[in-house]
Amino acid sequence: MNFTRWSARLPGTQRRAAARRTDRGLSLSPRPPRRGEGRADDRDQETPGARPHDEGAVPAARADGTPSPDPVPARTADPEPPALENFPVRELLGRLPGLVALLYGSEHRIAYVNDAYTAVFGPRPLGSPAAETCPELADLGLAPLIDQVLRGGKPRTVKSRKVTSGGSYTVTCIPVDHPTGPDGERDGDRTGPGGVVVFAADVTDHAEAAERLRASERRQRATAVTLQRSLLPQKLEQPDDLTVAATYQPGGEDAAVGGDWYDVITLGGGRTALVIGDVMGRGVRAAAVMGQLRTAVRAYARLDLPPHEVLQLLDGLASEIDASQIATCVYAVHDPNEERLVYASAGHLPILVRHEDGTVHRAANPTGPPLGTGGWFYTSGTIGLPPGSGAVLYTDGLVERRDQDIDEGVAALERALSGATGTPQVVCDRLIRAMGITAEHDDDVAVLFVRHPARTGPAAELFHNAALDLLGGVEAAPRARAFASGVLASWRFSPELHDLGVLATSELVANSLQHGTPPMKLRLRRTDRRLIIEVTDGDEHLPRRRRAETEDETGRGISIIAAIASNWGSRRTPGGGKAVWCEFALPAPAPTAP
């Protein structure tokens, strides 16, 4: 008789099978019955005739000793998946490519390390404290993490930690409990002091690639910052009637350099252009576009055009430079004779003016779209800048925050400006601090502050204005010469400068009488550094310097002005007409005796 089919039920067979599984490293815990299986006692209590036929059953014999006919073959059931405890855990851990260590107890003693761990760090004596025999765990900073895992009972992961040997690992610590019941089996809820499985994945290649990427980004950022700073003015021009300071701060390491810029341009005749802008985008490309726009602004400013016309020209140029990038900009002109700013804005934030009493006014903002959008006519607006007041121009990095509306940032800047006193550079620094700008700010910031000082005492004696309306016809010329001679004498200029000033006045007035239309006006202005002579009239045709032939009776006035003056120019006035001016540099004052 064949006993093979009966061997699974013979006494001792199950114990020997269990012993073989133990030798392979499998758990001794009995497998709980799966759904649909009955307990062994229940099967023993079943009647012989009620046992279902299966593949391992032996057909029963009839009472007369003749075997019963073979039953109808039953459908073979699908094999059930093996249970996890039936796999050799030690063999699986040993074959893992990651580094595995099992620590137990409050002293983190070593219970097991796999072959991959031994290959990297060498063998470790079992039962020894990890703090004494596993210095790599200290390099990875795992001791506090293991304590947290033991206390909290939740896995923890640290990424890309570096060891002394040079490798980088991402480590996961998983809490485990080991059984304390008899024969190594769990006994209710009783467990030992607990352990931690440390699994470390080698990410050295990834860490080195990430470091190379970060180094490349640092080099690119350094290049962009260098380019940005080289394209900004290295030293601001200081107008006669204004004191100016500016601050630029690039964003933090995680923020690429943007295209913020500012500039101060002396236009001649005592007038000054103030510019600030921001190219949308980051990196070298934004800085390069910024440099082109700044150069273009300086070129257009030399034409002495109204602010809205300058922005109109910039808009077309921005589209030609790069149609995919846009920029915001404010261009403002200060005229000391009018004590105000005439400005135009292309999508930029409003100018803020702080008066001498601390009140702050915001420009009314006749704002057009950003530069580069095309198809828009910009307009100019005005805001007062009397003596004693100051104006701040800034980029969005100063007031824009991710968690608040930009209008709230502008309002906060108004409050900070109201209490900001001191020199223009001090005001810039105080505004930066008041708005919470740090070295790790997520955007670059540009701030330009200009003050129209209220001069009193000896300083006020160096700044004078005088004006004369030119009425009548040709008889206005001798009146203008007499007026200029008297004014220049009262200002105590040298005889040479006095005579040059009278000659320039005569030529400018004669040019206006011949080519201009009423109303006409002569204005003389002196500062601590120059004498300015200006004549305005109602005609819009600007004079130009030309070469006069020998037989020509006219056309030499502007050439004479260009020859004797330090600088000269002309511009159209907002109400129609033109202004022609020239200026003479004053000698530096002699140093005072100590």
Side-chain angles (χ1 to χ4, degrees):
M1 180 179 294
N2 186 1
F3 288 94
T4 303
R5 299 170 63 187
W6 292 88
S7 60
R9 302 183 182 275
L10 295 178
T13 302
Q14 297 180 359
R15 289 196 300 272
R16 287 193 295 273
R20 284 195 298 271
R21 289 196 299 269
T22 303
D23 293 340
R24 298 189 187 102
L26 302 179
S27 174
L28 294 177
S29 300
R31 180 177 64 84
R34 296 187 177 89
R35 182 176 297 178
E37 294 181 352
R39 299 180 57 88
D41 297 342
D42 297 337
R43 289 196 300 268
D44 293 342
Q45 294 175 4
E46 291 178 2
T47 58
R51 183 183 301 273
H53 293 288
D54 55 22
E55 186 178 355
V58 178
R62 291 185 179 181
D64 55 2
T66 60
S68 60
D70 293 337
V72 178
R75 182 178 178 273
T76 304
D78 295 335
E80 296 182 358
L84 178 61
E85 58 268 19
N86 293 335
F87 288 94
V89 177
R90 178 182 291 270
E91 182 178 352
L92 290 177
L93 294 179
R95 292 183 179 182
L96 286 176
L99 282 59
V100 179
L102 177 59
L103 310 178
Y104 69 94
S106 58
E107 296 183 353
H108 309 157
R109 295 183 177 273
I110 301 174
Y112 170 80
V113 292
N114 70 344
D115 296 341
Y117 195 103
T118 303
V120 174
F121 299 115
R124 296 291 184 259
L126 302 183
S128 60
E132 300 176 2
T133 58
C134 297
E136 61 276 2
L137 299 184
D139 293 344
L140 295 170
L142 294 185
L145 186 69
I146 293 173
D147 290 334
Q148 292 179 12
V149 171
L150 286 175
R151 290 193 302 267
K154 295 182 179 180
R156 302 277 184 176
T157 299
V158 292
K159 296 184 178 181
S160 193
R161 294 285 181 89
K162 197 170 185 178
V163 296
T164 306
S165 60
S168 297
Y169 297 88
T170 292
V171 183
T172 299
C173 297
I174 306 172
V176 294
D177 295 327
H178 61 84
T180 60
D183 298 330
E185 298 180 357
R186 290 187 181 276
D187 187 8
D189 293 333
R190 291 190 297 126
T191 60
V196 174
V197 173
V198 179
F199 180 81
D202 189 348
V203 294
T204 303
D205 293 342
H206 297 282
E208 291 177 352
E211 180 59 32
R212 289 193 297 270
L213 179 60
R214 285 192 293 268
S216 176
E217 291 176 348
R218 286 194 295 269
R219 288 193 298 270
Q220 292 182 8
R221 185 178 185 277
T223 301
V225 170
T226 302
L227 177 62
Q228 175 90 346
R229 292 194 180 278
S230 65
L231 294 175
L232 290 174
Q234 303 304 304
K235 184 178 181 181
L236 288 177
E237 299 180 22
Q238 293 295 330
D240 296 352
D241 296 273
L242 302 174
T243 55
V244 183
T247 296
Y248 171 75
Q249 180 171 314
E253 292 292 336
D254 295 334
V257 176
D260 292 13
W261 94 91
Y262 56 83
D263 209 347
V264 177
I265 309 167
T266 54
L267 302 177
R271 301 166 71 250
T272 305
L274 309 169
V275 192
I276 196 164
D278 184 4
V279 176
M280 304 303 173
R282 293 288 186 270
V284 175
R285 181 58 183 167
V289 173
M290 176 273 292
Q292 297 177 76
L293 290 178
R294 176 175 174 259
T295 302
V297 169
R298 295 192 69 88
Y300 295 147
R302 296 305 177 191
L303 301 176
D304 218 340
L305 299 172
H308 64 275
E309 293 189 19
V310 172
L311 292 190
Q312 204 74 51
L313 294 173
L314 277 179
D315 182 43
L317 180 64
S319 301
E320 295 176 5
I321 293 175
D322 191 342
S324 63
Q325 285 192 301
I326 60 176
T328 63
C329 179
V330 166
Y331 182 89
V333 175
H334 174 257
D335 191 333
N337 297 315
E338 300 176 355
E339 298 183 352
R340 64 177 184 174
L341 288 176
V342 180
Y343 68 93
S345 175
H348 205 81
L349 296 167
I351 300 173
L352 301 181
V353 173
R354 180 189 186 275
H355 293 273
E356 198 168 12
D357 60 358
T359 59
V360 177
H361 292 159
R362 185 185 303 189
N365 244 12
T367 302
L371 302 175
T373 55
W376 186 268
F377 291 99
Y378 295 92
T379 58
S380 294
T382 60
I383 186 170
L385 191 68
S389 61
V392 61
L393 292 75
Y394 51 95
T395 57
D396 59 353
L398 184 65
V399 297
E400 188 175 31
R401 301 294 182 271
R402 299 181 186 276
D403 56 348
Q404 69 178 16
D405 189 80
I406 195 169
D407 288 335
E408 298 179 12
V410 175
L413 179 61
E414 289 180 346
R415 293 190 294 271
L417 179 62
S418 176
T421 58
T423 66
Q425 189 60 58
V426 170
V427 171
C428 288
D429 296 339
R430 288 181 174 177
L431 293 180
I432 290 287
R433 290 195 300 269
M435 298 304 293
I437 306 301
T438 64
E440 300 303 320
H441 192 56
D442 59 358
D443 195 5
D444 49 350
V445 175
V447 180
L448 176 64
F449 183 79
V450 55
R451 173 175 291 147
H452 186 189
R455 294 179 173 88
T456 57
E461 296 299 323
L462 300 177
F463 292 82
H464 292 286
N465 289 280
L468 174 68
D469 291 325
L470 301 176
L471 303 176
V474 294
E475 65 273 13
R479 288 201 305 269
R481 287 192 294 268
F483 175 78
S485 178
V487 169
L488 297 180
S490 67
W491 290 347
R492 299 179 181 179
F493 287 138
S494 65
E496 180 182 0
L497 183 57
H498 175 277
D499 294 341
L500 290 176
V502 173
L503 176 58
T505 300
S506 177
E507 292 297 334
L508 291 178
V509 171
N511 183 79
S512 180
L513 291 173
Q514 182 174 359
H515 302 286
T517 59
M520 301 177 186
K521 189 172 186 177
L522 169 65
R523 181 182 288 121
L524 302 177
R525 177 175 176 78
R526 74 153 294 172
T527 69
D528 57 344
R529 286 181 279 182
R530 72 197 78 226
L531 167 66
I532 303 169
I533 303 173
E534 182 181 83
V535 175
T536 60
D537 62 54
D539 186 75
E540 294 187 351
H541 293 85
L542 300 180
R544 59 186 180 87
R545 185 180 179 183
R546 65 185 180 88
R547 182 183 180 90
E549 299 298 335
T550 307
E551 62 275 9
D552 290 343
E553 297 182 358
T554 60
R556 294 179 177 85
I558 297 300
S559 296
I560 294 174
I561 294 295
I564 65 176
S566 303
N567 192 15
W568 78 278
S570 61
R571 70 179 187 278
R572 291 186 175 90
T573 54
K578 66 177 180 294
V580 184
W581 56 268
C582 68
E583 59 187 31
F584 296 86
L586 301 183
T592 58

